[in-house]
Structure formats: C-alpha cells, structure tokens
C-alpha cells in the first residue's frame, strides 16, 4: 500500500492566491522529504529538500519566497505556492526515504492548475 | 554532461519479449541505484534498488549493476502491455543526504 500521501490530489486556484500542499509519511518517520515538480512530458525536477526542524534547502533557480516549505513534524511536510500564476501550473510530487536512508517513495502527486 | 543518462525511446517490444532498459552515470561517487516506473499522469513507483555489482532479481524484473563501466540496466521478462510506462533510472551519492539524481527516463511500449 501507499507509504506517502499527498493532499489535495488536484487543485484549481485563481491567479494571485496561495495554495498549500501536504505530504505525509504514513507509517514511518521522515526527517527529510523532497519536493519535485514535473511539467507535461518532462522529467522530474527537484525543487527543494525539506528538513524536519530546520530550514529547507532549495535547488538553484527555485524561489524560496514563492515556494514555502514547512517540515513541522516527522511525518508532515507542506509546500505553499504563494501568489500563484498560470506558469506555476504543474504536477507537484513529494518523496520520503524509507527502509534505510536511500530508498525514496513518492506520494501520488498534486496537480495544480492556476487560472 | 548529464550525471545520469538514458535513451528517451520509445523502446517498443512485443508482448512476451524481454525489454532491456539501460542507464549510464558519470559520478563515480554514486553508490546506490534505483529504477522507478511512471505511468502517464502518475507519480513514480519504486520497482528495484541495487547497491552492489551484479544482478538482482525480483519477479519478472532483473537489475544489473556494473560500477567499473558505470552502467545500470533493467530487464523485464515476459513483457506485458501493463508494463508500458516511462522507466526512470536514479542514482544516489550517499554523501548528498539521500538526494536522488534522475535520468530523463525511457518510454517503454509493449505491443500486442
């Protein structure tokens, strides 16, 4: 069964609003989680590493003030897309390592559409 | 040069045949390797992990790792139409806090 969940699975929002996406590890603790974005027919792009109890680490070119990450507990990380614009429309996926530090399991993803 | 490279395909194989997916990597520090399957519109699903040289078998899947040649492969025996998906190769340098480096993926089509 699923080991990482995401909520919501899809969301439509108006331009200029903010959207929060939750990522939960279901039966294990994750001090680190990862956030990816994927545009149609393109590969996964790592956006940031979410660290429990400390600041997230963002990949080059990702605006940390636009994509706010909070990892407040060992089972929950959230990604908030602030002041969303149509170009932020994408498939957002989180992952967490389980069964040792290297095997990462992905959540089902959140499809964001900004109108 | 990309750190993990895959042929984008599509790789087309008939039902029942063996599909062979290949991946090369450039970072000699990479120590662990993974194959993910991604259906269109879905998130990646981990299907195999391999950490040491040689073969690792799990059902119809066999992963092969050759660290000297910096080469990882995935064989799918008795290919089924349900195997049609994009297969992503990923590597980890254990010094980078579990950060995976993905290839661009190979699209597999299993034809009837």
């Amino acid at each position: 069964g699923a080991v990482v969940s995401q909520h919501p699975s899809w969301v439509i929002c108006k331009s200029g609003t903010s959207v929060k996406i939750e990522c939960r590890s279901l039966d294990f603790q994750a001090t680190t989680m990862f956030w990816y974005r994927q545009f149609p027919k393109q590969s996964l792009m790592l956006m940031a590493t979410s660290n429990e109890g400390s600041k997230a680490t963002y990949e080059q070119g990702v605006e940390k003030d636009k994509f706010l990450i909070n990892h407040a507990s060992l089972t929950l990380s959230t990604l908030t897309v602030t002041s969303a614009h149509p170009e932020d429309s994408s498939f957002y996926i989180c992952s967490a390592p389980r069964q040792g530090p290297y095997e990462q399991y992905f959540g089902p993803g959140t499809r964001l559409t900004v109108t | 040069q990309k750190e993990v490279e895959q042929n984008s395909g599509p790789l087309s194989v008939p039902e029942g045949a063996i599909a062979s997916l290949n991946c090369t990597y450039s970072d000699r520090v990479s120590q662990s390797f993974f194959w993910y399957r991604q259906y269109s519109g879905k998130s990646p699903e981990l299907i195999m992990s391999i950490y040491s040289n040689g073969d690792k078998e799990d059902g119809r899947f066999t992963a092969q790792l050759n660290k000297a040649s910096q080469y990882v492969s995935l064989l799918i025996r008795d290919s089924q139409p349900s195997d049609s998906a994009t297969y992503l190769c990923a590597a980890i340098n254990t010094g980078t806090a579990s950060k995976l480096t993905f290839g661009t993926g190979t699209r597999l089509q299993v034809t009837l």
Side-chain angles (χ1 to χ4, degrees), chain B residues 18-22 55 60-64 73-77:
Chain B
I18 296 175
S20 178
L21 302 159
N22 304 314
D55 296 358
R60 295 187 296 114
F61 299 100
T62 298
Q64 300 173 318
S73 66
L74 179 70
L75 301 178
I76 306 174
R77 289 181 298 282

Side-chain angles (χ1 to χ4, degrees), chain A residues 62-81:
Chain A
V62 177
E63 300 174 59
K64 60 182 178 183
D65 294 331
K66 181 169 182 63
F67 299 100
L68 300 179
I69 291 173
N70 184 22
H71 195 147
S73 78
L74 287 170
T75 59
L76 173 64
S77 174
T78 60
L79 168 69
T80 301
V81 183

Side-chain angles (χ1 to χ4, degrees), chain A residues 38 43 46 59 101 103-104 107, chain B residues 36 38 43 49 51 98-99 103:
Chain A
Q38 188 174 38
S43 188
L46 178 65
E59 295 299 302
E103 290 193 353
Q104 286 191 32
Chain B
Y36 287 84
Q38 187 175 25
S43 67
S49 59
Y51 303 99
S98 305
K99 194 161 76 169

Side-chain angles (χ1 to χ4, degrees), chain A residues 30-94:
Chain A
T31 56
T32 303
M33 292 183 177
F34 300 90
W35 287 97
Y36 295 83
R37 181 167 57 179
Q38 188 174 38
F39 293 106
K41 299 192 186 302
Q42 294 189 21
S43 188
L44 291 166
M45 186 193 84
L46 178 65
M47 299 176 66
T49 301
S50 175
N51 303 300
E52 189 268 335
S54 64
K55 290 182 179 180
T57 305
Y58 290 83
E59 295 299 302
Q60 192 171 8
V62 177
E63 300 174 59
K64 60 182 178 183
D65 294 331
K66 181 169 182 63
F67 299 100
L68 300 179
I69 291 173
N70 184 22
H71 195 147
S73 78
L74 287 170
T75 59
L76 173 64
S77 174
T78 60
L79 168 69
T80 301
V81 183
T82 63
S83 187
H85 291 285
E87 57 265 31
D88 299 322
S89 299
S90 189
F91 191 40
Y92 291 85
I93 317 171
C94 69

Side-chain angles (χ1 to χ4, degrees), chain A residues 11-28:
Chain A
V11 57
I12 301 172
C13 71
K14 291 184 184 290
S15 187
T17 62
S18 296
V19 173
K20 181 186 284 189
I21 303 169
E22 293 185 349
C23 177
R24 292 182 186 273
S25 55
L26 295 182
D27 61 355
F28 65 101

Side-chain angles (χ1 to χ4, degrees), chain B:
Chain B
Q1 181 188 4
K2 291 185 179 177
E3 294 181 28
V4 177
E5 296 206 41
Q6 297 180 255
N7 187 318
S8 61
L11 172 66
S12 185
V13 299
E15 184 178 8
I18 296 175
S20 178
L21 302 159
N22 304 314
C23 171
T24 59
Y25 61 96
S26 59
D27 184 0
R28 286 197 171 272
V29 185
S30 294
Q31 298 178 343
S32 304
F33 303 89
F34 307 89
W35 284 99
Y36 287 84
R37 177 176 63 198
Q38 187 175 25
Y39 292 112
S40 181
K42 302 293 185 183
S43 67
E45 174 191 9
L46 179 64
I47 54 173
M48 290 288 284
S49 59
I50 188 165
Y51 303 99
S52 54
N53 280 326
D55 296 358
K56 179 182 177 182
E57 186 174 318
D58 184 0
R60 295 187 296 114
F61 299 100
T62 298
Q64 300 173 318
L65 173 60
N66 183 325
K67 290 191 176 183
S69 301
Q70 297 179 244
Y71 178 89
V72 192
S73 66
L74 179 70
L75 301 178
I76 306 174
R77 289 181 298 282
D78 188 23
S79 296
Q80 301 297 308
S82 59
D83 295 325
S84 298
T86 296
Y87 289 79
L88 301 168
C89 173
I92 258 187
N93 170 353
T94 54
T96 59
S98 305
K99 194 161 76 169
L100 285 171
T101 301
F102 281 95
T104 53
T106 298
R107 189 157 64 92
L108 173 66
Q109 292 178 337
V110 180
T111 57
L112 295 172

